[in-house]
Coordinates of all heavy atoms in Angstrom, one line a residue:
A1 N 10.0 69.9 -30.6 CA 10.8 69.5 -31.7 C 10.0 68.8 -32.7 O 9.1 68.0 -32.3 CB 12.0 68.7 -31.3
A2 N 10.2 69.0 -34.0 CA 9.4 68.3 -35.0 C 9.7 66.8 -34.9 O 10.8 66.3 -34.9 CB 9.8 68.8 -36.4
G3 N 8.6 66.0 -35.0 CA 8.7 64.6 -35.0 C 8.9 63.9 -33.7 O 8.9 62.7 -33.6
S4 N 9.0 64.7 -32.6 CA 9.3 64.1 -31.3 C 7.9 63.7 -30.7 O 6.9 64.2 -31.0 CB 10.0 65.0 -30.4 OG 9.2 66.1 -30.1
A5 N 8.0 62.7 -29.8 CA 6.8 62.2 -29.1 C 6.3 63.3 -28.2 O 7.0 64.1 -27.6 CB 7.1 60.9 -28.4
P6 N 4.9 63.3 -27.9 CA 4.4 64.2 -27.0 C 5.0 64.0 -25.6 O 5.3 62.9 -25.2 CB 2.9 63.9 -26.9 CG 2.6 63.0 -28.1 CD 4.0 62.4 -28.5
V7 N 5.1 65.1 -24.8 CA 5.7 65.0 -23.5 C 4.5 64.7 -22.5 O 3.5 65.3 -22.5 CB 6.3 66.3 -23.1 CG1 6.8 66.3 -21.7 CG2 7.4 66.7 -24.0
S8 N 4.8 63.7 -21.7 CA 3.8 63.2 -20.7 C 3.8 64.2 -19.5 O 4.9 64.7 -19.1 CB 4.2 61.8 -20.2 OG 3.5 61.5 -19.0
P9 N 2.7 64.5 -18.9 CA 2.6 65.4 -17.8 C 3.4 64.8 -16.6 O 3.8 65.5 -15.7 CB 1.2 65.5 -17.4 CG 0.4 64.9 -18.6 CD 1.3 64.1 -19.4
T10 N 3.7 63.5 -16.6 CA 4.4 62.8 -15.5 C 5.9 62.6 -15.8 O 6.6 62.0 -15.0 CB 3.8 61.4 -15.2 OG1 3.8 60.6 -16.4 CG2 2.3 61.6 -14.8
A11 N 6.4 63.1 -16.9 CA 7.7 62.9 -17.4 C 8.8 63.4 -16.4 O 9.8 62.7 -16.2 CB 8.0 63.5 -18.8
N12 N 8.6 64.5 -15.7 CA 9.6 65.0 -14.8 C 9.3 64.7 -13.4 O 10.0 65.3 -12.5 CB 9.6 66.6 -15.0 CG 10.1 66.9 -16.4 OD1 11.0 66.2 -17.0 ND2 9.6 68.0 -16.9
R13 N 8.4 63.9 -13.1 CA 8.1 63.5 -11.7 C 9.0 62.4 -11.2 O 9.3 61.5 -11.9 CB 6.6 63.2 -11.5 CG 5.8 64.3 -11.8 CD 4.3 64.0 -11.5 NE 3.5 65.1 -11.9 CZ 2.2 65.0 -12.1 NH1 1.6 63.9 -11.9 NH2 1.5 66.1 -12.5
A14 N 9.3 62.4 -9.9 CA 10.1 61.3 -9.3 C 9.2 60.1 -9.1 O 8.0 60.3 -8.9 CB 10.7 61.8 -8.0
A15 N 9.7 58.9 -9.1 CA 8.9 57.7 -8.9 C 8.5 57.7 -7.4 O 9.2 58.1 -6.5 CB 9.8 56.5 -9.2
P16 N 7.3 57.3 -7.2 CA 6.8 57.2 -5.8 C 7.6 56.2 -5.0 O 8.0 55.2 -5.5 CB 5.3 56.8 -5.9 CG 5.2 56.2 -7.3 CD 6.3 56.8 -8.1
S17 N 7.8 56.6 -3.7 CA 8.6 55.7 -2.8 C 7.8 54.7 -2.1 O 8.3 53.7 -1.7 CB 9.5 56.5 -1.9 OG 8.6 57.3 -1.1
G18 N 6.5 54.9 -1.8 CA 5.7 54.0 -1.1 C 4.5 53.6 -1.9 O 4.5 53.8 -3.1
P19 N 3.5 53.0 -1.2 CA 2.3 52.6 -1.9 C 1.6 53.8 -2.5 O 1.5 54.8 -1.8 CB 1.5 51.9 -0.8 CG 2.2 52.0 0.5 CD 3.5 52.7 0.2
Q20 N 1.2 53.7 -3.7 CA 0.6 54.8 -4.4 C -1.0 54.6 -4.4 O -1.5 53.6 -4.8 CB 1.0 54.8 -5.9 CG 0.5 55.9 -6.7 CD 1.3 57.2 -6.5 OE1 2.4 57.2 -5.9 NE2 0.8 58.3 -7.0
R21 N -1.6 55.7 -3.9 CA -3.1 55.7 -4.0 C -3.5 56.2 -5.3 O -2.9 57.1 -5.9 CB -3.7 56.6 -2.9 CG -3.6 56.0 -1.5 CD -4.3 56.8 -0.5 NE -4.4 58.3 -0.8 CZ -5.1 59.2 -0.2 NH1 -5.8 58.8 0.8 NH2 -5.1 60.4 -0.6
S22 N -4.6 55.7 -5.8 CA -5.2 56.1 -7.1 C -6.1 57.3 -6.7 O -7.0 57.2 -6.0 CB -6.0 55.0 -7.7 OG -6.5 55.5 -8.9
T23 N -5.8 58.5 -7.3 CA -6.6 59.7 -7.1 C -7.2 60.0 -8.4 O -6.9 59.5 -9.5 CB -5.7 60.9 -6.6 OG1 -4.8 61.2 -7.7 CG2 -4.9 60.5 -5.3
V24 N -8.1 61.0 -8.4 CA -8.7 61.5 -9.6 C -7.7 62.0 -10.6 O -7.6 61.7 -11.8 CB -9.8 62.5 -9.3 CG1 -10.3 63.2 -10.6 CG2 -10.9 61.9 -8.5
V25 N -6.7 62.8 -10.0 CA -5.7 63.4 -10.9 C -4.8 62.3 -11.4 O -4.4 62.3 -12.6 CB -4.9 64.4 -10.1 CG1 -3.7 64.9 -10.9 CG2 -5.7 65.6 -9.7
S26 N -4.3 61.3 -10.6 CA -3.5 60.3 -11.1 C -4.2 59.4 -12.2 O -3.6 59.0 -13.2 CB -2.9 59.4 -10.0 OG -4.0 58.7 -9.4
T27 N -5.4 59.2 -12.0 CA -6.2 58.4 -13.0 C -6.3 59.2 -14.3 O -6.2 58.7 -15.4 CB -7.6 58.1 -12.4 OG1 -7.5 57.3 -11.2 CG2 -8.4 57.3 -13.4
F28 N -6.6 60.5 -14.1 CA -6.7 61.4 -15.3 C -5.4 61.4 -16.1 O -5.4 61.2 -17.3 CB -7.1 62.8 -14.9 CG -7.0 63.8 -16.1 CD1 -8.1 63.8 -17.0 CD2 -5.9 64.6 -16.3 CE1 -8.0 64.7 -18.1 CE2 -5.8 65.4 -17.3 CZ -6.9 65.5 -18.2
I29 N -4.3 61.5 -15.4 CA -3.0 61.6 -16.0 C -2.6 60.3 -16.7 O -2.2 60.2 -17.9 CB -1.9 62.0 -15.0 CG1 -2.0 63.4 -14.6 CG2 -0.5 61.7 -15.6 CD1 -1.1 63.8 -13.5
R30 N -2.9 59.2 -16.1 CA -2.7 57.8 -16.7 C -3.5 57.7 -18.0 O -3.0 57.3 -19.0 CB -3.0 56.7 -15.7 CG -2.7 55.3 -16.2 CD -3.3 54.2 -15.4 NE -4.8 54.3 -15.4 CZ -5.6 54.3 -14.4 NH1 -5.1 54.3 -13.1 NH2 -6.9 54.4 -14.5
D31 N -4.8 58.0 -17.9 CA -5.7 57.9 -19.0 C -5.3 58.9 -20.1 O -5.3 58.5 -21.3 CB -7.2 58.2 -18.6 CG -7.7 57.1 -17.7 OD1 -7.1 56.0 -17.6 OD2 -8.8 57.3 -17.1
H32 N -4.9 60.1 -19.8 CA -4.4 61.1 -20.7 C -3.2 60.5 -21.5 O -3.1 60.6 -22.7 CB -4.1 62.4 -20.0 CG -3.4 63.4 -20.9 ND1 -2.0 63.4 -21.0 CD2 -3.9 64.3 -21.7 CE1 -1.7 64.4 -21.9 NE2 -2.9 65.0 -22.3
D33 N -2.3 60.0 -20.8 CA -1.1 59.4 -21.4 C -1.4 58.3 -22.4 O -0.8 58.2 -23.4 CB -0.1 58.9 -20.3 CG 0.6 60.0 -19.5 OD1 0.5 61.2 -20.0 OD2 1.2 59.7 -18.5
R34 N -2.4 57.4 -22.0 CA -2.8 56.3 -22.9 C -3.5 56.9 -24.1 O -3.2 56.4 -25.2 CB -3.8 55.4 -22.1 CG -3.1 54.5 -21.1 CD -4.2 53.7 -20.5 NE -3.6 52.9 -19.4 CZ -4.2 52.2 -18.5 NH1 -5.5 52.3 -18.5 NH2 -3.6 51.5 -17.6
V35 N -4.3 57.9 -24.0 CA -5.0 58.5 -25.2 C -4.0 59.1 -26.1 O -4.0 58.9 -27.3 CB -6.1 59.5 -24.8 CG1 -6.6 60.3 -25.9 CG2 -7.2 58.7 -24.1
I36 N -3.0 59.9 -25.5 CA -2.0 60.6 -26.3 C -1.2 59.5 -27.0 O -0.8 59.7 -28.2 CB -1.2 61.5 -25.5 CG1 -2.0 62.7 -25.0 CG2 0.0 62.0 -26.2 CD1 -2.6 63.6 -26.0
G37 N -0.8 58.5 -26.4 CA 0.0 57.4 -27.0 C -0.8 56.8 -28.2 O -0.2 56.5 -29.2
A38 N -2.1 56.5 -28.0 CA -2.9 55.9 -29.0 C -3.0 56.9 -30.2 O -2.9 56.5 -31.4 CB -4.3 55.5 -28.5
V39 N -3.3 58.1 -29.9 CA -3.4 59.1 -31.0 C -2.1 59.3 -31.8 O -2.1 59.4 -33.0 CB -4.0 60.5 -30.5 CG1 -3.9 61.6 -31.5 CG2 -5.4 60.3 -30.0
S40 N -1.0 59.3 -31.0 CA 0.3 59.5 -31.7 C 0.6 58.3 -32.6 O 1.3 58.5 -33.6 CB 1.4 59.7 -30.6 OG 1.1 60.8 -29.9
A41 N 0.2 57.1 -32.2 CA 0.5 56.0 -33.0 C -0.5 55.8 -34.2 O -0.2 55.0 -35.1 CB 0.4 54.7 -32.1
A42 N -1.6 56.5 -34.2 CA -2.6 56.3 -35.2 C -2.2 57.0 -36.5 O -1.4 57.9 -36.6 CB -3.9 56.9 -34.7
K43 N -2.8 56.5 -37.6 CA -2.6 57.1 -38.9 C -4.1 57.5 -39.3 O -4.9 56.7 -39.8 CB -2.1 56.1 -39.9 CG -0.7 55.7 -39.6 CD -0.1 54.8 -40.6 CE 1.4 54.6 -40.2 NZ 2.0 53.5 -40.9
P44 N -4.4 58.8 -39.0 CA -5.8 59.2 -39.1 C -6.3 59.2 -40.6 O -5.6 59.5 -41.5 CB -5.8 60.6 -38.6 CG -4.4 61.1 -38.7 CD -3.5 59.9 -38.6
H45 N -7.6 58.8 -40.7 CA -8.3 59.0 -41.9 C -9.6 59.7 -41.6 O -10.1 59.6 -40.5 CB -8.6 57.6 -42.5 CG -7.4 56.8 -43.0 ND1 -6.6 56.2 -42.1 CD2 -6.9 56.7 -44.2 CE1 -5.6 55.6 -42.8 NE2 -5.7 55.9 -44.1
F46 N -10.1 60.4 -42.5 CA -11.3 61.2 -42.3 C -12.5 60.5 -42.9 O -12.5 60.1 -44.0 CB -11.2 62.6 -42.8 CG -10.1 63.3 -42.1 CD1 -8.8 63.4 -42.7 CD2 -10.3 63.9 -40.9 CE1 -7.8 64.1 -42.0 CE2 -9.2 64.6 -40.2 CZ -8.0 64.7 -40.8
I47 N -13.5 60.3 -42.1 CA -14.7 59.6 -42.5 C -15.8 60.7 -42.5 O -16.0 61.3 -41.5 CB -15.1 58.4 -41.7 CG1 -13.9 57.4 -41.7 CG2 -16.4 57.8 -42.0 CD1 -14.1 56.3 -40.7
R48 N -16.5 60.8 -43.6 CA -17.6 61.7 -43.7 C -18.9 60.8 -43.8 O -19.0 60.0 -44.7 CB -17.5 62.6 -44.9 CG -16.4 63.6 -44.7 CD -16.3 64.6 -45.8 NE -15.4 65.7 -45.5 CZ -14.2 65.8 -45.9 NH1 -13.7 64.8 -46.7 NH2 -13.4 66.8 -45.6
C49 N -19.8 61.0 -42.9 CA -21.0 60.2 -42.9 C -22.1 61.0 -43.6 O -22.3 62.2 -43.4 CB -21.5 59.9 -41.5 SG -20.3 58.9 -40.6
L50 N -22.9 60.2 -44.4 CA -24.0 60.8 -45.1 C -25.3 60.1 -44.8 O -25.3 58.9 -44.6 CB -23.8 60.7 -46.7 CG -22.5 61.3 -47.2 CD1 -22.3 60.9 -48.7 CD2 -22.5 62.8 -47.0
R51 N -26.3 60.9 -44.6 CA -27.6 60.3 -44.4 C -28.3 60.0 -45.7 O -28.3 60.9 -46.6 CB -28.5 61.2 -43.6 CG -28.0 61.4 -42.2 CD -28.8 62.4 -41.3 NE -30.2 62.0 -41.4 CZ -31.2 62.9 -41.1 NH1 -30.9 64.1 -40.7 NH2 -32.4 62.5 -41.2
P52 N -28.9 58.9 -46.0 CA -29.5 58.6 -47.3 C -30.8 59.3 -47.5 O -31.2 59.5 -48.6 CB -29.7 57.1 -47.2 CG -29.8 56.7 -45.8 CD -28.9 57.7 -45.1
N53 N -31.5 59.7 -46.4 CA -32.7 60.5 -46.6 C -33.0 61.3 -45.3 O -32.4 61.0 -44.2 CB -33.9 59.6 -46.9 CG -34.1 58.5 -45.8 OD1 -34.4 58.8 -44.7 ND2 -33.9 57.2 -46.2
K54 N -33.9 62.2 -45.4 CA -34.2 63.1 -44.2 C -35.0 62.4 -43.1 O -34.9 62.7 -42.0 CB -35.0 64.3 -44.6 CG -34.2 65.3 -45.4 CD -35.1 66.5 -45.8 CE -34.3 67.4 -46.7 NZ -35.2 68.6 -47.1
S55 N -35.8 61.4 -43.5 CA -36.7 60.7 -42.6 C -36.1 59.5 -41.9 O -36.8 59.0 -41.0 CB -38.0 60.4 -43.3 OG -37.7 59.6 -44.5
G56 N -35.0 59.0 -42.3 CA -34.4 57.8 -41.7 C -35.1 56.5 -42.0 O -34.9 55.5 -41.3
I57 N -35.8 56.5 -43.1 CA -36.5 55.3 -43.6 C -35.5 54.4 -44.3 O -34.7 54.8 -45.1 CB -37.6 55.7 -44.5 CG1 -38.7 56.5 -43.8 CG2 -38.3 54.4 -45.1 CD1 -39.8 57.1 -44.7
A58 N -35.5 53.1 -43.9 CA -34.6 52.1 -44.5 C -34.9 52.0 -46.0 O -36.0 52.0 -46.4 CB -34.7 50.8 -43.8
K59 N -33.8 51.7 -46.8 CA -33.9 51.4 -48.2 C -34.5 52.6 -49.0 O -35.0 52.3 -50.1 CB -34.6 50.1 -48.4 CG -33.9 48.9 -47.8 CD -34.6 47.7 -48.1 CE -33.9 46.5 -47.4 NZ -34.5 45.2 -47.7
K60 N -34.5 53.8 -48.5 CA -34.9 55.0 -49.3 C -33.7 55.9 -49.5 O -33.1 56.3 -48.5 CB -36.0 55.7 -48.5 CG -36.6 56.9 -49.3 CD -37.6 57.7 -48.5 CE -38.0 58.9 -49.3 NZ -38.7 59.9 -48.4
F61 N -33.4 56.1 -50.8 CA -32.3 56.9 -51.1 C -32.7 58.2 -51.8 O -33.4 58.2 -52.9 CB -31.3 56.2 -52.0 CG -30.1 56.9 -52.4 CD1 -29.0 56.9 -51.5 CD2 -29.9 57.6 -53.6 CE1 -27.8 57.6 -51.8 CE2 -28.8 58.2 -53.9 CZ -27.7 58.2 -53.0
D62 N -32.5 59.4 -51.2 CA -32.8 60.7 -51.8 C -31.6 61.3 -52.4 O -30.8 61.8 -51.7 CB -33.4 61.5 -50.7 CG -33.9 62.9 -51.2 OD1 -33.5 63.3 -52.3 OD2 -34.7 63.5 -50.4
R63 N -31.5 61.2 -53.7 CA -30.4 61.6 -54.5 C -30.1 63.1 -54.2 O -28.9 63.5 -54.0 CB -30.6 61.4 -56.0 CG -29.4 61.8 -56.8 CD -29.8 61.7 -58.3 NE -29.1 60.9 -59.2 CZ -28.4 59.7 -59.1 NH1 -28.3 59.2 -58.2 NH2 -27.9 59.1 -60.0
N64 N -31.1 63.9 -54.3 CA -30.9 65.4 -54.0 C -30.3 65.7 -52.6 O -29.5 66.5 -52.4 CB -32.1 66.2 -54.3 CG -32.5 66.2 -55.8 OD1 -31.7 66.1 -56.6 ND2 -33.8 66.3 -56.0
F65 N -30.9 65.0 -51.7 CA -30.5 65.2 -50.3 C -29.0 64.8 -50.1 O -28.2 65.5 -49.5 CB -31.4 64.4 -49.3 CG -31.1 64.6 -47.9 CD1 -31.3 65.8 -47.3 CD2 -30.6 63.5 -47.1 CE1 -31.0 65.9 -45.9 CE2 -30.3 63.6 -45.8 CZ -30.5 64.9 -45.2
V66 N -28.6 63.6 -50.6 CA -27.2 63.2 -50.5 C -26.3 64.1 -51.3 O -25.2 64.4 -50.8 CB -27.1 61.7 -51.0 CG1 -25.7 61.2 -51.1 CG2 -27.9 60.8 -50.1
S67 N -26.7 64.5 -52.5 CA -25.9 65.4 -53.3 C -25.6 66.7 -52.6 O -24.5 67.3 -52.6 CB -26.5 65.7 -54.6 OG -26.6 64.5 -55.4
H68 N -26.7 67.2 -51.9 CA -26.5 68.5 -51.1 C -25.5 68.3 -50.0 O -24.7 69.1 -49.7 CB -27.9 68.8 -50.6 CG -27.9 70.1 -49.8 ND1 -27.8 70.2 -48.5 CD2 -28.0 71.4 -50.3 CE1 -27.8 71.5 -48.1 NE2 -28.0 72.2 -49.2
Q69 N -25.6 67.1 -49.3 CA -24.6 66.9 -48.2 C -23.2 66.8 -48.7 O -22.3 67.4 -48.2 CB -24.9 65.5 -47.5 CG -26.2 65.6 -46.7 CD -26.5 64.2 -46.2 OE1 -26.0 63.8 -45.2 NE2 -27.4 63.4 -46.9
I70 N -23.0 66.1 -49.9 CA -21.7 65.9 -50.5 C -21.1 67.3 -50.8 O -19.9 67.6 -50.5 CB -21.7 65.0 -51.7 CG1 -22.0 63.6 -51.2 CG2 -20.5 65.1 -52.5 CD1 -22.2 62.6 -52.3
A71 N -21.9 68.1 -51.4 CA -21.4 69.5 -51.8 C -21.0 70.3 -50.6 O -20.0 71.0 -50.6 CB -22.5 70.2 -52.6
H72 N -21.8 70.3 -49.6 CA -21.6 71.1 -48.4 C -20.5 70.5 -47.5 O -20.0 71.3 -46.6 CB -22.8 71.4 -47.7 CG -23.7 72.4 -48.4 ND1 -23.4 73.7 -48.6 CD2 -24.9 72.1 -49.1 CE1 -24.3 74.3 -49.3 NE2 -25.2 73.4 -49.6
L73 N -20.1 69.3 -47.6 CA -19.1 68.7 -46.8 C -17.7 68.9 -47.5 O -16.7 68.6 -46.9 CB -19.3 67.2 -46.6 CG -20.4 66.8 -45.6 CD1 -20.6 65.3 -45.7 CD2 -20.0 67.2 -44.2
G74 N -17.7 69.5 -48.7 CA -16.4 69.7 -49.4 C -15.8 68.5 -50.0 O -14.6 68.4 -50.3
V75 N -16.6 67.4 -50.2 CA -16.1 66.2 -50.7 C -15.5 66.4 -52.1 O -14.4 65.9 -52.4 CB -17.2 65.1 -50.7 CG1 -16.7 63.8 -51.5 CG2 -17.5 64.7 -49.3
P76 N -16.2 67.1 -53.1 CA -15.6 67.3 -54.4 C -14.2 68.0 -54.3 O -13.3 67.6 -55.0 CB -16.6 68.1 -55.1 CG -17.9 67.9 -54.4 CD -17.6 67.6 -53.0
Q77 N -14.1 69.0 -53.5 CA -12.8 69.7 -53.3 C -11.8 68.8 -52.8 O -10.6 68.8 -53.2 CB -13.0 70.9 -52.4 CG -13.9 72.0 -53.0 CD -15.4 71.8 -52.7 OE1 -15.8 70.7 -52.2 NE2 -16.2 72.7 -53.1
A78 N -12.1 67.9 -51.8 CA -11.1 67.0 -51.2 C -10.7 66.0 -52.3 O -9.5 65.7 -52.4 CB -11.7 66.3 -50.0
V79 N -11.6 65.5 -53.1 CA -11.2 64.6 -54.2 C -10.3 65.2 -55.2 O -9.3 64.6 -55.6 CB -12.5 64.0 -54.9 CG1 -12.2 63.3 -56.2 CG2 -13.3 63.2 -54.0
C80 N -10.6 66.5 -55.5 CA -9.7 67.2 -56.5 C -8.3 67.4 -55.9 O -7.3 67.2 -56.6 CB -10.2 68.6 -56.8 SG -11.7 68.5 -57.9
I81 N -8.2 67.7 -54.6 CA -6.9 67.8 -53.9 C -6.1 66.5 -53.9 O -5.0 66.5 -54.3 CB -7.1 68.4 -52.5 CG1 -7.5 69.8 -52.6 CG2 -5.8 68.2 -51.7 CD1 -8.0 70.4 -51.2
F82 N -6.8 65.4 -53.6 CA -6.1 64.1 -53.6 C -5.7 63.7 -54.9 O -4.6 63.1 -55.1 CB -7.0 63.1 -52.9 CG -7.2 63.2 -51.4 CD1 -8.5 63.3 -50.9 CD2 -6.1 63.4 -50.6 CE1 -8.6 63.5 -49.5 CE2 -6.3 63.6 -49.2 CZ -7.5 63.6 -48.7
R83 N -6.5 64.0 -56.0 CA -6.2 63.6 -57.3 C -5.0 64.4 -57.8 O -4.3 64.0 -58.7 CB -7.4 63.8 -58.3 CG -8.4 62.7 -58.2 CD -9.4 62.9 -59.3 NE -10.4 61.8 -59.3 CZ -11.5 61.9 -59.9 NH1 -11.8 62.9 -60.6 NH2 -12.3 60.8 -59.9
S84 N -4.8 65.6 -57.3 CA -3.7 66.5 -57.7 C -2.4 66.0 -57.2 O -1.4 66.5 -57.6 CB -4.0 67.9 -57.2 OG -5.2 68.5 -57.8
G85 N -2.4 65.1 -56.3 CA -1.2 64.5 -55.8 C -0.6 65.2 -54.6 O 0.6 65.6 -54.7
F86 N -1.4 65.5 -53.6 CA -0.9 66.1 -52.4 C -0.9 65.1 -51.2 O -1.7 65.3 -50.3 CB -1.7 67.4 -52.1 CG -1.5 68.5 -53.0 CD1 -2.4 68.7 -54.1 CD2 -0.4 69.3 -53.0 CE1 -2.2 69.7 -55.0 CE2 -0.2 70.3 -53.9 CZ -1.1 70.5 -54.9
P87 N -0.1 64.1 -51.3 CA -0.2 63.1 -50.2 C 0.7 63.5 -49.0 O 0.9 62.7 -48.1 CB 0.5 61.9 -50.8 CG 1.5 62.4 -51.8 CD 0.8 63.7 -52.3
I88 N 1.1 64.8 -48.9 CA 2.0 65.2 -47.9 C 1.2 65.5 -46.6 O 0.1 66.2 -46.6 CB 2.7 66.5 -48.3 CG1 3.5 66.2 -49.5 CG2 3.5 67.1 -47.2 CD1 4.1 67.4 -50.2
R89 N 1.7 65.0 -45.5 CA 1.1 65.3 -44.2 C 2.2 66.0 -43.4 O 3.3 65.4 -43.2 CB 0.7 64.0 -43.5 CG -0.6 63.4 -44.2 CD -1.1 62.2 -43.4 NE -2.3 61.8 -43.9 CZ -2.5 60.9 -45.0 NH1 -1.4 60.5 -45.6 NH2 -3.7 60.5 -45.4
L90 N 1.9 67.2 -42.9 CA 2.8 67.9 -42.2 C 2.6 67.8 -40.7 O 1.5 67.6 -40.2 CB 2.7 69.4 -42.5 CG 2.9 69.9 -43.9 CD1 2.6 71.3 -44.1 CD2 4.4 69.6 -44.4
L91 N 3.7 67.8 -40.0 CA 3.6 67.8 -38.5 C 3.1 69.2 -38.1 O 3.2 70.2 -38.9 CB 5.0 67.6 -37.8 CG 5.6 66.2 -38.1 CD1 7.0 66.2 -37.5 CD2 4.7 65.2 -37.4
H92 N 2.4 69.3 -37.0 CA 1.9 70.6 -36.5 C 2.9 71.7 -36.6 O 2.6 72.8 -37.1 CB 1.3 70.5 -35.1 CG 0.7 71.7 -34.6 ND1 1.4 72.6 -33.9 CD2 -0.5 72.3 -34.8 CE1 0.7 73.7 -33.6 NE2 -0.5 73.5 -34.1
E93 N 4.1 71.5 -36.1 CA 5.1 72.5 -36.1 C 5.5 72.9 -37.5 O 5.7 74.1 -37.7 CB 6.4 72.0 -35.3 CG 6.2 71.7 -33.9 CD 5.6 70.4 -33.6 OE1 5.4 69.5 -34.5 OE2 5.3 70.1 -32.4
Q94 N 5.6 72.0 -38.4 CA 5.9 72.4 -39.8 C 4.8 73.2 -40.4 O 5.1 74.2 -41.1 CB 6.1 71.1 -40.6 CG 7.3 70.3 -40.2 CD 7.4 68.9 -40.9 OE1 6.3 68.3 -41.0 NE2 8.6 68.5 -41.2
A95 N 3.6 72.8 -40.2 CA 2.4 73.5 -40.8 C 2.4 74.9 -40.2 O 2.1 75.9 -40.9 CB 1.1 72.8 -40.5
W96 N 2.6 75.0 -38.9 CA 2.6 76.3 -38.2 C 3.7 77.2 -38.8 O 3.4 78.4 -39.1 CB 2.7 76.2 -36.7 CG 2.6 77.5 -36.0 CD1 3.6 78.1 -35.3 CD2 1.5 78.4 -35.9 NE1 3.2 79.3 -34.8 CE2 2.0 79.5 -35.2 CE3 0.2 78.4 -36.4 CZ2 1.1 80.6 -34.9 CZ3 -0.6 79.5 -36.2 CH2 -0.2 80.6 -35.4
A97 N 4.9 76.7 -38.9 CA 6.0 77.5 -39.5 C 5.7 78.0 -40.9 O 6.0 79.1 -41.3 CB 7.3 76.7 -39.5
A98 N 5.0 77.1 -41.7 CA 4.7 77.5 -43.1 C 3.6 78.5 -43.2 O 3.6 79.3 -44.1 CB 4.4 76.2 -43.9
F99 N 2.6 78.4 -42.3 CA 1.3 79.1 -42.5 C 1.0 80.2 -41.4 O 0.0 80.8 -41.4 CB 0.1 78.2 -42.7 CG 0.3 77.3 -43.8 CD1 0.6 75.9 -43.6 CD2 0.2 77.7 -45.1 CE1 0.7 75.1 -44.7 CE2 0.3 76.9 -46.2 CZ 0.6 75.6 -46.0
R100 N 1.9 80.3 -40.5 CA 1.6 81.3 -39.3 C 1.4 82.7 -39.8 O 0.7 83.5 -39.2 CB 2.6 81.2 -38.2 CG 3.9 81.8 -38.6 CD 4.8 81.8 -37.3 NE 6.2 81.6 -37.8 CZ 7.1 80.9 -37.2 NH1 6.8 80.3 -36.1 NH2 8.3 80.8 -37.7
C101 N 2.0 83.0 -41.0 CA 1.8 84.4 -41.5 C 0.3 84.7 -41.8 O -0.1 85.9 -41.9 CB 2.7 84.6 -42.7 SG 2.3 83.5 -44.1
L102 N -0.5 83.7 -42.0 CA -1.9 83.8 -42.3 C -2.7 84.2 -41.1 O -3.9 84.5 -41.2 CB -2.4 82.6 -43.0 CG -1.8 82.2 -44.3 CD1 -2.4 80.8 -44.7 CD2 -2.0 83.2 -45.3
F103 N -2.1 84.0 -39.9 CA -2.8 84.3 -38.6 C -2.1 85.3 -37.8 O -1.3 85.1 -37.0 CB -2.9 82.9 -37.8 CG -3.5 81.8 -38.5 CD1 -2.8 80.9 -39.3 CD2 -4.9 81.7 -38.6 CE1 -3.4 79.9 -39.9 CE2 -5.5 80.7 -39.2 CZ -4.8 79.8 -39.9
P104 N -2.4 86.6 -38.1 CA -1.8 87.7 -37.4 C -2.1 87.7 -35.9 O -3.0 87.3 -35.4 CB -2.3 89.0 -38.1 CG -3.5 88.5 -38.8 CD -3.5 87.0 -39.0

């Protein structure tokens, strides 16, 4: 359902009745649940890293090299989209419903 929290792999399991041993699977499930919880609570931002020069020398800025990276990362296009006023973030289900016709 749109907007609902992710379902935990342990959601339908009964509570253990005795002492619980930590297994690889139980550790994985616990860690998975923690990661999914953190990702679900996050407000993602995209960071694009640029190298100032090909050689990694400190305090050396290669304008052509940086310009080439910016162009190929799609930064100008992203700036145009943001300036156009598209602050809308769709849930996966909403995006899939709107654009699934593009993926036969």
Side-chain angles (χ1 to χ4, degrees):
S4 65
V7 176
S8 166
T10 58
N12 294 327
R13 294 189 187 160
S17 57
Q20 182 82 13
R21 284 190 331 172
S22 181
T23 65
V24 172
V25 173
S26 65
T27 302
F28 173 80
I29 291 171
R30 184 191 66 234
D31 292 345
H32 173 270
D33 289 346
R34 286 181 184 165
V35 169
I36 293 300
V39 169
S40 297
K43 295 184 178 169
H45 291 82
F46 297 95
I47 298 172
R48 291 183 169 99
C49 297
L50 302 173
R51 292 178 53 199
N53 59 63
K54 290 180 185 179
S55 55
I57 297 172
K59 298 183 181 182
K60 180 183 176 197
F61 185 81
D62 182 342
R63 180 186 241 28
N64 291 331
F65 183 66
V66 173
S67 295
H68 184 265
Q69 291 176 82
I70 289 172
H72 289 291
L73 285 172
V75 173
Q77 294 84 354
V79 169
C80 287
I81 289 170
F82 290 127
R83 281 188 178 166
S84 298
F86 291 98
I88 298 168
R89 290 185 171 85
L90 300 174
L91 295 174
H92 179 266
E93 292 84 5
Q94 293 169 321
W96 180 248
F99 300 108
R100 74 172 145 222
C101 61
L102 300 175
F103 302 96

